[in-house]
Amino acid sequence: MSVLDHARSHFENIGVQSIEVPEWKDEHGNPSVIYWNPINLYEKNILFKKSGNMSDVSILADILLMKALDKDGNKMFKPEDKMALMYKVDSDVVAKISTAMVQNITPEEVKKN
């Protein structure tokens, strides 16, 4: 196997990740769960271009729009949800979720959870 094959295998083994959001309780009082596939360089490039500069915190909403999935793998947010995420949602919660989505995680860490 080549190094590229090993790199691909590593990325594929990361798999779907998730985060419980206790601040966003469902109708039964359970934390919402947001899922996502690991971010790749192509997606990071899109986010960086959208941001224009890294001090633009709207990138946090863009990450949720791009990556957040429900348990069935469907997008949780639509582009028109961006303004609500920016103005009507706790910014600390959005930052916590978005940060988790772009952090590097190893397959071993995924297996621990």
Side-chain angles (χ1 to χ4, degrees), residues 82-108:
K82 183 174 180 175
M83 288 301 115
L85 289 168
M86 299 263 316
Y87 292 101
K88 306 275 185 192
V89 177
D90 185 336
S91 62
D92 290 337
V93 176
V94 171
K96 175 178 76 171
I97 299 165
S98 298
T99 300
M101 290 178 164
V102 298
Q103 284 180 337
N104 293 331
I105 187 167
T106 66
E108 291 76 27

Side-chain angles (χ1 to χ4, degrees), residues 55-94:
S55 64
D56 181 359
V57 295
S58 70
I59 193 170
L60 300 173
D62 290 328
I63 292 167
L64 284 180
L65 292 171
M66 178 185 281
K67 300 300 293 176
L69 304 171
D70 66 17
K71 66 178 171 37
D72 298 319
N74 301 308
K75 291 244 182 215
M76 292 185 92
F77 302 105
K78 301 176 289 273
E80 55 267 24
D81 295 330
K82 183 174 180 175
M83 288 301 115
L85 289 168
M86 299 263 316
Y87 292 101
K88 306 275 185 192
V89 177
D90 185 336
S91 62
D92 290 337
V93 176
V94 171

